[in-house]
Amino acid sequence: MAINCPNCHTSILEEELARIADATKVLCPSCLEPLALPELTLPLGLATTTLTPAEAGLSVGRKYSLVVVSGPDAGKVLDIRKVENTIGRDGCDLELEDPEISRRHALVSIEGVRARLRDLHSTNGTFVAEKPIEEAMRENRDQFRVGSHQVALVVTENDEVDNDE
């Protein structure tokens, strides 16, 4: 997992993030501009305590899903219930039937109202605007392609919030 500097867009890898995570002021190793700590989403493997969904990247009161816009599973809605979700054909959190999709094709990591999309070294690639990507940020209604499926990230208000208090 990696984060990107908002100033120079340098990708900071998990190993380096672990090294600098304890610093009181975190600077981008390339441009030396300060990185805002609230923008850092530590990989769950680096967390020393159990995180609530809101702290880990899911926003309380929001519902996340992937909607298949076109392809063999057009119209299918894949509900996202975890911070990190694998997309693929077999044994993944979000499954699509498509021989052009690898068993473990891509990873969607929720970060508030956005999602980080990362290709998992799939055979046929993951595409944004028909360009292959290794990693890209997606916002509400942004689309991407895996295999022969065009998929959109959809973030909505969750009207099923518990009111038992």
Side-chain angles (χ1 to χ4, degrees):
M1 179 175 231
I3 62 164
N4 292 322
C5 172
N7 185 50
C8 69
H9 305 291
T10 296
S11 183
I12 302 166
L13 299 177
E14 180 176 333
E15 299 82 30
E16 189 167 11
L17 183 59
R19 182 181 59 78
I20 64 175
D22 292 330
T24 55
K25 188 173 186 180
V26 179
L27 301 178
C28 172
S30 291
C31 68
L32 300 178
E33 286 294 316
L35 296 173
L37 291 178
E39 291 181 19
L40 292 177
T41 302
L42 292 177
L44 294 179
L46 295 178
T48 56
T49 59
T50 303
L51 300 175
T52 66
E55 292 168 323
L58 298 173
S59 294
V60 176
R62 300 227 186 249
K63 181 178 177 184
Y64 302 86
S65 55
L66 295 181
V67 176
V68 180
V69 176
S70 65
D73 289 328
K76 186 174 185 177
V77 176
L78 304 167
D79 290 331
I80 296 174
R81 296 189 171 103
K82 302 183 323 182
V83 174
E84 293 197 336
N85 303 271
T86 53
I87 300 172
R89 279 186 292 126
D90 185 34
C92 290
D93 303 304
L94 309 169
E95 292 185 359
L96 293 168
E97 288 298 320
D98 185 344
E100 293 182 29
I101 294 178
S102 297
R103 283 192 183 107
R104 287 181 35 89
H105 194 100
L107 179 71
V108 175
S109 301
I110 303 299
E111 298 179 10
V113 294
R114 299 172 26 165
R116 184 176 306 277
L117 173 66
R118 185 171 49 150
D119 184 77
L120 296 176
H121 307 290
S122 63
T123 301
N124 294 320
T126 301
F127 295 81
V128 171
E130 292 309 312
K131 293 184 176 138
I133 58 105
E134 288 183 26
E135 186 174 290
M137 290 305 294
R138 304 282 69 205
E139 300 199 16
N140 188 28
R141 299 181 186 217
D142 283 352
Q143 295 186 21
F144 61 94
R145 182 171 61 82
V146 290
S148 59
H149 288 83
Q150 189 73 21
V151 181
L153 171 71
V154 177
V155 182
T156 58
E157 296 294 323
N158 188 354
D159 54 0
E160 298 174 14
V161 176
D162 291 334
N163 292 324
D164 294 339
E165 298 175 15

